[in-house]
Amino acid sequence: MPRTVHIIGAGLAGLSAAVRLATPGNRVVVHEATAFAGGRCRSYHDASVGMTIDNGNHLLLSGNHAALDFLRAIGSRHRLIGPPAAEFPFFDLKNNKRWTLRFNAGRLPLWMFDSGRRVPGTRARDYLAVARLLWPKPDTTVGEIIACNGALYSALIEPLLLAALNIDPPHGSAKLAAAVIRETLAAGGRACRPLIARDGLAPTLIEPALDYLRGRGALIRLEHQLRTMRFEGQRVAALDFGDENVALDAADAVILTVPPYAAASLLEGLTVPNEFRAIVNAHFRIEPPAAQPPILGVINAVTQWIFAFPGRLSVTVSAGDALLDTPREQLARTIWAEVAQAAMLPAELASVLPPWQIVRERRATFAATPAQDKRRPGARTAWRNLLLAGDWTNTGLPATIEGAIRSGNRAAEFVSEQ
Ligand SMILES: Cc1cc2nc3c(=O)[nH]c(=O)nc-3n(C[C@H](O)[C@H](O)[C@H](O)COP(=O)(O)OP(=O)(O)OC[C@H]3O[C@@H](n4cnc5c(N)ncnc54)[C@H](O)[C@@H]3O)c2cc1C
């Protein structure tokens, strides 16, 4: 008789674990508290802009191998699009300067020695700062290892680490920064091609996963929130969903992939990250100009990245906690003025705020400080049939899609070994 694996949470950690386990011999049931799958990586119809948008722009890189394997498994790798080479156009709002970082494909960072490819105003030897970040002492912050100022910092290190760690880089864990640099800049341009889900997160990452799972007999139970667990000896014996109690057989397993605060309330005594950082996204309904690149880095502005989608320009501000209390329209107007300048919109378009939406995710990720990183638990728990997954578990990476998927894969492997 197949064992049942209960996966709690239908974010990317839960879905990736489910995809790995949806094989003969396992009966997979995914329980999701809300009415939709995807968690922090979702699409929804927004009445203000009159179109389906993502809760936040998500950037993947060609070196995110677990994420790409997941997409291949569910048949939607082709939905991620990006340029053929690792190129990142940038715009400086203060002086209207534009440049493009062009990484060469191989591991040897030849681009650092080419003034036409590296950050304007920097010298090759400035890039030793990047190398210094690769081998940090334990428990150090980025700010304790490199000087967080100057052209290289503001035009490369800060945008990269803000996006990847979602924290003001000087306070970020140097260990997590090193992991990011090792898997991106140090891995060469082949690992750094930017990839986006042009048609939306749900049609790319979530719906194909649900179709894949349903096609293999997995059960997806939405609006099915786990309330408590009953433990017996060294195992979980039953799951309580309020209206339903599910008893577990001896071979059954549970993978808990809920956010850290939810995991802590379900598992007494579990140490989890308990500080968070926000991400703010602004969406504007407007057809991007023909020359607008799919992703544009912006410095010296509130705006950090501008994403061009069909019929929409979207802005991401990582570590956006300072913007949480700014009145929504004021924020939309500030960001729109920056977008209009960066996209070189004609005055008649720039002067009119198009339909807009501001999405503020307060607890977008755990705060990637050394102290919070230490609070991340591994996949195994004190209970033999209970595993943990989620971007906040100890993946060695900051809270990202890649980390979430690796954590789901790892938990699935432990279940398979049992
Ligand atoms: C605005 C924004 C922008 C981002 N940008 C990027 C980016 O550019 N690149 C990148 O790699 N990452 C990005 N991230 C991070 C990425 O979205 C996350 O790392 C990833 O989605 C986390 O997946 P998860 O499965 O670990 O957690 P979640 O997505 O939080 O999933 C947990 C699920 O558990 C459910 N749940 C909670 N409690 C219960 C319960 N008791 N019973 C059942 N279900 C429950 C929740 O409803 C949720 O669906 C971004 C995040 C945000 C918010």
Coordinates of all heavy atoms in Angstrom, one line a residue, residues 8-14 31-34 36 38-41 55-60 224-226 257-259 262 266 279 281 361 364-365 390-391 399-402 404, ligand 1:
I8 N 2.3 20.4 3.9 CA 1.6 21.5 4.4 C 2.1 22.8 3.8 O 3.2 23.2 4.1 CB 1.6 21.6 6.0 CG1 1.5 20.1 6.6 CG2 0.6 22.6 6.6 CD1 0.1 19.5 6.3
G9 N 1.3 23.5 3.0 CA 1.7 24.7 2.4 C 2.0 24.5 0.9 O 2.7 23.5 0.5
A10 N 1.3 25.3 0.0 CA 1.5 25.1 -1.4 C 2.3 26.3 -2.0 O 2.0 26.8 -3.1 CB 0.2 25.0 -2.1
G11 N 3.3 26.7 -1.3 CA 4.3 27.6 -1.9 C 5.3 26.8 -2.7 O 5.1 25.6 -2.9
L12 N 6.4 27.4 -3.1 CA 7.3 26.7 -4.0 C 8.0 25.6 -3.3 O 8.4 24.5 -3.9 CB 8.3 27.7 -4.6 CG 7.7 28.4 -5.8 CD1 8.5 29.6 -6.3 CD2 7.4 27.5 -7.0
A13 N 8.3 25.7 -2.0 CA 8.9 24.6 -1.2 C 8.0 23.4 -1.2 O 8.4 22.3 -1.5 CB 9.2 25.1 0.2
G14 N 6.7 23.7 -0.9 CA 5.7 22.6 -0.9 C 5.5 21.9 -2.2 O 5.5 20.7 -2.4
H31 N -1.8 20.4 1.4 CA -2.8 21.2 2.2 C -2.4 22.6 2.2 O -1.3 23.0 2.7 CB -2.9 20.7 3.6 CG -3.2 19.2 3.8 ND1 -4.4 18.6 3.9 CD2 -2.3 18.2 3.8 CE1 -4.3 17.3 4.0 NE2 -3.0 17.0 3.9
E32 N -3.2 23.5 1.7 CA -2.9 24.9 1.6 C -4.0 25.7 2.4 O -5.2 25.5 2.1 CB -2.8 25.4 0.2 CG -2.8 26.9 -0.1 CD -1.7 27.6 0.7 OE1 -0.6 27.2 0.6 OE2 -2.1 28.7 1.3
A33 N -3.5 26.6 3.2 CA -4.5 27.4 4.1 C -5.4 28.3 3.2 O -6.6 28.5 3.5 CB -3.7 28.2 5.1
T34 N -4.8 29.0 2.2 CA -5.5 30.0 1.5 C -6.3 29.3 0.3 O -6.2 28.1 0.1 CB -4.6 31.1 1.0 OG1 -3.7 30.5 0.0 CG2 -3.7 31.7 2.1
F36 N -5.5 29.8 -2.8 CA -4.7 29.7 -4.0 C -3.3 29.1 -3.6 O -2.9 29.2 -2.5 CB -4.5 31.1 -4.6 CG -4.0 32.1 -3.6 CD1 -2.6 32.2 -3.4 CD2 -4.9 32.9 -2.9 CE1 -2.1 33.1 -2.4 CE2 -4.4 33.8 -2.0 CZ -3.0 33.9 -1.7
G38 N 0.9 28.9 -4.4 CA 1.9 29.9 -4.8 C 2.6 30.6 -3.7 O 3.7 31.1 -3.7
G39 N 1.8 30.8 -2.6 CA 2.3 31.6 -1.4 C 2.8 32.9 -1.8 O 2.1 33.7 -2.4
R40 N 4.1 33.2 -1.5 CA 4.6 34.5 -1.8 C 5.0 34.7 -3.3 O 5.6 35.7 -3.7 CB 5.9 34.8 -0.9 CG 5.5 35.2 0.4 CD 6.7 35.2 1.3 NE 7.1 33.8 1.8 CZ 8.3 33.4 2.1 NH1 9.3 34.2 2.1 NH2 8.4 32.2 2.5
C41 N 4.7 33.7 -4.1 CA 5.1 33.8 -5.5 C 3.8 33.5 -6.3 O 3.5 32.4 -6.7 CB 6.1 32.7 -5.8 SG 6.8 32.6 -7.4
N55 N 2.2 39.3 -7.5 CA 2.4 40.0 -6.2 C 3.7 40.8 -6.1 O 3.8 41.8 -5.5 CB 2.3 39.1 -5.0 CG 3.4 38.1 -4.9 OD1 3.8 37.5 -5.9 ND2 4.0 37.9 -3.7
G56 N 4.7 40.3 -6.8 CA 6.0 40.9 -6.9 C 6.8 40.4 -8.1 O 6.6 39.2 -8.5
N57 N 7.6 41.3 -8.7 CA 8.4 40.8 -9.8 C 9.5 39.9 -9.2 O 10.1 40.2 -8.2 CB 9.1 42.0 -10.4 CG 8.1 43.1 -10.8 OD1 7.1 42.7 -11.5 ND2 8.4 44.3 -10.5
H58 N 9.6 38.7 -9.8 CA 10.6 37.7 -9.4 C 11.6 37.5 -10.5 O 11.3 37.3 -11.6 CB 9.9 36.4 -9.1 CG 9.2 36.4 -7.7 ND1 8.2 37.2 -7.4 CD2 9.4 35.6 -6.7 CE1 7.8 36.9 -6.2 NE2 8.5 35.9 -5.7
L59 N 12.9 37.7 -10.1 CA 14.0 37.5 -11.0 C 14.7 36.1 -10.7 O 15.0 35.9 -9.5 CB 15.0 38.6 -10.9 CG 16.2 38.6 -11.8 CD1 15.8 38.7 -13.2 CD2 17.2 39.6 -11.4
L60 N 14.9 35.3 -11.7 CA 15.7 34.1 -11.6 C 17.0 34.3 -12.4 O 17.0 35.2 -13.3 CB 14.9 32.9 -12.1 CG 13.8 32.4 -11.1 CD1 12.8 31.6 -11.8 CD2 14.5 31.6 -10.0
H224 N -7.5 24.7 3.4 CA -7.4 23.5 4.3 C -6.2 23.8 5.2 O -5.0 23.3 5.0 CB -7.2 22.2 3.5 CG -7.7 21.0 4.2 ND1 -7.0 19.9 4.5 CD2 -9.0 20.8 4.7 CE1 -7.8 19.1 5.1 NE2 -9.0 19.6 5.2
Q225 N -6.4 24.6 6.2 CA -5.3 25.0 7.1 C -5.0 24.0 8.2 O -6.0 23.6 8.9 CB -5.7 26.4 7.7 CG -4.6 26.9 8.6 CD -5.0 28.3 9.2 OE1 -6.1 28.9 8.8 NE2 -4.2 28.8 10.1
L226 N -3.8 23.7 8.3 CA -3.4 22.8 9.5 C -3.5 23.6 10.8 O -2.9 24.7 10.9 CB -2.0 22.3 9.3 CG -1.5 21.4 10.4 CD1 -2.3 20.1 10.5 CD2 0.0 21.1 10.2
T257 N 5.9 23.1 5.2 CA 6.5 24.2 4.4 C 5.9 25.5 4.5 O 5.9 26.3 3.6 CB 6.5 23.7 2.9 OG1 5.1 24.0 2.4 CG2 6.8 22.3 2.7
V258 N 5.4 25.8 5.7 CA 4.7 27.0 6.0 C 5.7 28.1 6.4 O 6.9 27.8 6.7 CB 3.6 26.9 7.1 CG1 2.6 25.8 6.8 CG2 4.3 26.5 8.4
P259 N 5.4 29.4 6.4 CA 6.3 30.4 6.8 C 6.8 30.2 8.2 O 6.1 29.5 9.0 CB 5.6 31.7 6.6 CG 4.4 31.4 5.7 CD 4.1 30.0 6.0
A262 N 4.4 30.6 11.2 CA 3.3 29.6 11.2 C 3.9 28.3 11.7 O 3.3 27.6 12.5 CB 2.7 29.4 9.8
L266 N 3.0 26.0 15.2 CA 2.6 24.6 15.1 C 3.5 23.6 15.8 O 3.2 22.5 16.2 CB 2.5 24.1 13.6 CG 1.4 24.7 12.8 CD1 1.6 24.6 11.3 CD2 0.0 24.0 13.1
I279 N 9.2 43.9 0.8 CA 9.5 44.2 -0.6 C 8.3 45.0 -1.1 O 7.1 44.6 -0.9 CB 9.7 43.0 -1.5 CG1 11.0 42.2 -1.0 CG2 9.9 43.3 -3.0 CD1 11.3 40.9 -1.8
N281 N 6.3 46.6 -4.4 CA 6.2 46.6 -5.9 C 5.2 47.6 -6.4 O 4.2 47.8 -5.7 CB 5.8 45.2 -6.4 CG 7.0 44.3 -6.6 OD1 7.5 44.1 -7.7 ND2 7.5 43.8 -5.5
E361 N 4.6 43.8 0.5 CA 4.7 42.5 1.2 C 5.6 42.8 2.5 O 6.8 42.9 2.3 CB 5.3 41.4 0.4 CG 4.5 41.0 -0.8 CD 3.6 39.8 -0.5 OE1 3.6 39.3 0.7 OE2 3.0 39.3 -1.5
A364 N 8.2 39.9 3.4 CA 8.6 39.2 2.1 C 9.6 38.1 2.4 O 9.5 37.0 1.8 CB 9.1 40.2 1.2
T365 N 10.6 38.4 3.2 CA 11.6 37.4 3.5 C 12.1 37.6 4.9 O 11.9 38.7 5.5 CB 12.9 37.5 2.6 OG1 13.6 38.8 2.9 CG2 12.5 37.5 1.1
G390 N 11.2 25.2 3.3 CA 10.8 26.7 3.1 C 12.0 27.5 2.9 O 13.1 27.0 3.3
D391 N 11.9 28.6 2.3 CA 13.1 29.5 2.0 C 13.8 29.9 3.3 O 15.0 30.3 3.2 CB 12.7 30.7 1.2 CG 11.7 31.6 1.9 OD1 11.3 31.4 3.0 OD2 11.4 32.7 1.2
A399 N 16.6 34.0 1.3 CA 15.2 33.5 1.0 C 14.9 33.8 -0.5 O 14.6 35.0 -0.8 CB 14.3 34.3 1.9
T400 N 15.0 32.8 -1.3 CA 14.8 33.0 -2.7 C 14.0 31.8 -3.2 O 13.9 30.8 -2.5 CB 16.1 33.0 -3.5 OG1 16.9 31.9 -3.0 CG2 16.9 34.3 -3.2
I401 N 13.5 31.9 -4.5 CA 12.9 30.7 -5.1 C 13.8 29.5 -5.1 O 13.4 28.4 -4.8 CB 12.5 31.1 -6.6 CG1 11.4 32.2 -6.6 CG2 12.1 29.9 -7.4 CD1 11.0 32.6 -7.9
E402 N 15.1 29.8 -5.5 CA 16.1 28.7 -5.6 C 16.2 28.0 -4.2 O 16.2 26.8 -4.1 CB 17.4 29.3 -6.0 CG 18.5 28.3 -6.1 CD 18.4 27.3 -7.2 OE1 17.5 27.4 -8.1 OE2 19.2 26.3 -7.3
A404 N 14.0 28.0 -1.7 CA 12.7 27.4 -1.4 C 12.6 26.0 -2.1 O 12.3 25.0 -1.5 CB 11.5 28.2 -1.8
Ligands
LIG1 C1 7.4 40.6 -3.4 C2 8.4 39.5 -3.4 C3 9.4 39.5 -4.4 C4 10.3 38.5 -4.4 N1 11.3 38.4 -5.4 C5 12.0 37.4 -5.5 C6 12.9 37.3 -6.6 O1 13.1 38.2 -7.5 N2 13.7 36.2 -6.8 C7 13.6 35.1 -5.9 O2 14.3 34.1 -6.1 N3 12.8 35.2 -4.8 C8 12.0 36.3 -4.6 N4 11.1 36.4 -3.6 C9 11.1 35.3 -2.6 C10 10.3 34.1 -3.0 O3 9.0 34.5 -3.4 C11 10.2 33.1 -1.8 O4 11.5 32.8 -1.4 C12 9.4 31.8 -2.1 O5 8.2 32.1 -2.8 C13 9.1 31.2 -0.8 O6 8.4 30.0 -0.9 P1 8.1 29.0 0.3 O7 7.3 27.9 -0.2 O8 9.3 28.8 1.1 O9 7.1 29.9 1.2 P2 5.6 30.6 0.9 O10 5.6 31.0 -0.5 O11 5.4 31.6 2.0 O12 4.6 29.3 1.1 C14 4.1 28.9 2.3 C15 2.6 28.5 2.1 O13 2.1 27.9 3.4 C16 0.8 28.3 3.5 N5 0.4 28.1 4.9 C17 0.7 28.9 6.0 N6 0.2 28.4 7.1 C18 -0.4 27.2 6.7 C19 -1.1 26.2 7.5 N7 -1.3 26.3 8.8 N8 -1.7 25.2 6.8 C20 -1.6 25.1 5.4 N9 -0.9 26.0 4.7 C21 -0.3 27.1 5.3 C22 0.8 29.8 3.0 O14 -0.5 30.2 2.7 C23 1.7 29.7 1.8 O15 1.0 29.4 0.6 C24 10.2 37.4 -3.5 C25 9.2 37.4 -2.5 C26 8.3 38.5 -2.5 C27 7.3 38.5 -1.4

